[in-house]
Amino acid sequence: RAPLRMAVRRKALLLVGWAARLAAMCVFDNSAAQALTQLFPSAQYHSRRRLARDAALASSGASYEGIPLAGDSSVYGEFDIDFFAALLQTAAPLPGCNFVDVGSGVGRLVLAAALMWPSLGSSHGVEISAVLHERAIAARLEVDQNPSTRKLSIAPCEFTCASIFEEQGALVLETADIVFAYVVTWAREADELTELSRLFSERLRNGCKVISVDLRLRSNFADGVRFELIGETEGANLETGQSVGYVYHVVRV
């Protein structure tokens, strides 16, 4: 009976996810999508990847025969916007809540959240690469300077250049209401994020929602803290073909 209950629960979670995808398609007009296309043209995708790669290579401390080597954790990827909107819809952002993107790169999802949910209290990106951090700030400035986007409603955006595992980055988590983590190359065991789950257990407040992609969160790092799965959604991913998004509720007892 236990496997049957698990199968029924998984199906229910997937249905919740698909309902969120449909709701996201109905709620958002095309203005946010058009703005994101202008800010981050698909034709420049490979240029953004090269920018991230070169930044990672330049900051790497390891080398082989004089060639700097970037760690796997520095791999750059861009997440499907429609899939992101559906996952965020499942997390049910309320007016005034704070969204945080962990490993925010050039700020694409930070701006997506701010444009799609202009009633957010803030949309905040934490990125370790100074080069990508500066590109994110430039993209936000472009929203105000471009005649086709400057009249759009947008939530306040913030960008922190730091590792999420350092104090400056970790502090951002303490006021978060929704956290997004597309970090499939970070420390893991099997299909679970390890060090990030530990950090979330220490820093996230009760009631915070966490969205992870392809890797689950682990709940056994701190007494009285667990990550309760409230949604599971499959969606398109240009990087891998398809991904699974997990939406959790932080419970502290």
Side-chain angles (χ1 to χ4, degrees), residues 53-125:
R53 180 202 61 195
D54 292 346
L57 289 171
S59 64
S60 174
S63 64
Y64 176 71
E65 294 184 348
I67 301 174
L69 303 174
D72 289 340
S73 62
S74 298
V75 173
Y76 176 84
E78 291 190 350
F79 199 71
D80 181 82
I81 293 296
D82 291 336
F83 191 11
F84 171 71
L87 291 170
L88 205 50
Q89 184 78 7
T90 301
L94 298 174
C97 77
N98 299 318
F99 169 79
V100 174
D101 183 14
V102 174
S104 53
V106 295
R108 184 168 164 270
L109 295 186
V110 174
L111 292 178
L115 288 164
M116 291 176 174
W117 277 270
S119 63
L120 289 174
S122 69
S123 186
H124 199 143

Side-chain angles (χ1 to χ4, degrees), residues 131-142:
V131 173
L132 300 185
H133 169 74
E134 291 170 3
R135 181 62 65 90
I137 293 174
R140 175 60 188 90
L141 292 174
E142 186 178 345

Side-chain angles (χ1 to χ4, degrees), residues 189 192-194 197-198 201 216-221 227:
E189 289 182 5
E192 294 182 328
L193 288 163
T194 51
S197 295
R198 184 192 304 275
S201 297
R216 298 174 182 268
L217 299 184
R218 179 180 291 185
S219 289
N220 62 352
F221 284 112
F227 301 112

Side-chain angles (χ1 to χ4, degrees), residues 45 78 80 108 236-242:
Y45 167 72
E78 291 190 350
D80 181 82
R108 184 168 164 270
N237 187 335
L238 294 177
E239 308 284 340
T240 63
Q242 190 168 17

Side-chain angles (χ1 to χ4, degrees), residues 1-14 232:
R1 291 184 179 179
L4 178 59
R5 285 197 299 270
M6 291 179 64
V8 171
R9 174 173 169 76
R10 175 176 168 79
K11 185 174 182 179
L13 290 171
L14 286 172
E232 181 177 336

